[in-house]
Amino acid sequence: MSASPITKQGRATRERIVRAAAELIAERGATGTSLDEVRAATAASKSQLYHYFGDKHGLVEAVVEHQCASVLGFQARALAAVSDWESLERWAQLMVNGVEQRRGRGGCPIGTLAAALADSDEPLRVSLNEAFRAWSDAIRGALTRLRDNGLIAAEADLDRLTTIALSAIEGGLLLAKASRDADPLRIALDGAIAQFRLNAPARRRHPSA
């Protein structure tokens, strides 16, 4: 059974282990990452790993929680700033910039974990699906502000547009990861935003729409 650290040093140690494990799992997958490799990367003892996480599954659970919180925190902040087409474009560019900085590596942490775990671990599938739902809620909130500001028609199907956006992100990130090139994500997001613009009120449609 794992134990939550109660000291500042203990919390820092646990966080360091989780971050290192997250990097290894992103590179090698959950099944391809051993506790011994995590120990080597963090200089943690076997007793520390079992104290904080119980077993490998507990460590993977901690990685899922960490990656979901990291991605959702960034997306919530970035999407909260969206109120017009220009700020929407900035949100998209932020994601493209991130892929460029990583030289196409990494993909989506949540998507990568979902691809590896959703068919083999039901509790983690549920956790990852909840993360996607939270991400969808943040996207829908941004689209709602665009609608409230008169940029998207009142009758537009925001749930459909949200799914288009999240699918573009996940597909674009996967293709960017495979190609080591940010262009697939840029193109996918451009396509999603073009679809949003097609749902603008007729009098406010973008000239290219």
Side-chain angles (χ1 to χ4, degrees):
M1 180 179 292
S2 61
S4 299
I6 59 176
T7 67
K8 182 177 181 180
Q9 181 178 357
R11 290 191 295 271
T13 298
R14 185 183 187 279
E15 179 69 12
R16 176 170 57 82
I17 294 170
V18 171
R19 288 181 179 274
E23 291 181 5
L24 288 172
I25 288 173
E27 293 174 1
R28 307 174 188 181
T31 58
T33 301
S34 69
L35 289 180
D36 285 340
E37 288 170 326
V38 175
R39 286 178 55 208
T42 60
S45 67
K46 183 177 293 186
S47 62
Q48 283 178 313
L49 291 181
Y50 284 100
H51 174 70
Y52 291 131
F53 308 105
D55 54 19
K56 181 180 175 181
H57 188 269
L59 177 58
V60 173
E61 286 181 326
V63 168
V64 169
E65 182 180 354
H66 167 79
Q67 296 290 59
C68 289
S70 178
V71 172
L72 294 176
F74 169 80
Q75 287 292 325
R77 291 189 298 273
L79 286 161
V82 172
S83 59
D84 53 29
W85 295 125
E86 291 72 21
S87 53
L88 183 68
E89 295 279 1
R90 286 195 294 273
W91 163 72
Q93 189 60 47
L94 275 176
M95 283 187 286
V96 172
N97 290 346
V99 172
E100 289 176 337
Q101 290 167 6
R102 298 190 301 272
R103 298 181 180 179
R105 294 181 179 274
C108 172
I110 300 177
T112 298
L113 288 167
L117 300 170
D119 287 338
S120 60
D121 193 307
E122 181 63 13
L124 291 182
R125 182 200 67 78
V126 171
S127 295
L128 291 160
N129 187 54
E130 289 173 352
F132 279 128
R133 286 185 180 277
W135 196 345
S136 293
D137 288 344
I139 293 171
R140 198 182 193 285
L143 295 176
T144 298
R145 285 190 297 279
L146 294 179
R147 184 192 63 191
D148 292 346
N149 290 337
L151 299 174
I152 289 180
E155 67 273 15
D157 187 340
L158 298 190
D159 289 336
R160 176 176 173 274
L161 295 178
T162 295
T163 299
I164 288 172
L166 190 54
S167 298
I169 294 167
E170 290 301 311
L173 284 171
L174 178 60
L175 292 175
K177 179 178 180 178
S179 64
R180 295 289 190 261
D181 187 343
D183 276 351
L185 177 61
R186 189 194 318 276
I187 292 167
L189 289 174
D190 284 348
I193 292 173
Q195 185 66 35
F196 299 163
R197 288 184 180 275
L198 286 175
N199 283 269
R203 68 183 185 282
R204 303 193 68 165
R205 294 265 171 92
H206 191 272
S208 61

